């Protein structure tokens, strides 16, 4: 919920969250969004099928993890990561960079 509050403070419209991988995958394939923020694990399941769906759509994504970039699997290691716990400024900077790189 803290993440959602930060995004709302930025003026973002929030789609989600998804508490289950199946719901996240459905959203990744059908929802309209500018950038996705993906926790590396959703209810104990790795998020990579969702990341693959987002990449297929050509949309930017940011991973959120407590393990930093080293905790991201190939071929996603080149994607932006915001390491937990993160500040509002870190999140904003990472989102802006992800969107700019995709554009």
């Amino acid at each position: 919920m803290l993440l959602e509050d930060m995004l709302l403070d930025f003026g973002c419209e929030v789609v989600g969250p998804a508490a289950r991988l199946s719901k996240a995958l459905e959203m990744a394939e059908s929802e309209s969004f500018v950038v996705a923020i993906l926790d590396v694990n959703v209810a104990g399941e790795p998020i990579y099928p969702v990341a693959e769906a987002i990449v297929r759509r050509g949309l930017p994504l940011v991973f959120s993890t407590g393990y930093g970039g080293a905790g991201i699997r190939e071929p996603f290691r080149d994607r932006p990561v915001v390491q937990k716990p993160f500040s509002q400024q870190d999140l904003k900077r990472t989102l802006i960079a992800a969107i700019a790189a995709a554009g």
Side-chain angles (χ1 to χ4, degrees), residues 23-57:
K23 180 65 176 171
L25 188 55
E26 177 185 312
M27 292 171 70
E29 293 171 338
S30 64
E31 291 288 341
S32 177
F33 55 90
V34 174
V35 61
I37 303 169
L38 304 178
D39 197 316
V40 174
N41 290 300
V42 175
E45 295 183 87
I47 198 69
Y48 299 107
V50 176
E52 290 166 356
I54 292 167
V55 169
R56 280 193 301 273
R57 290 183 64 188

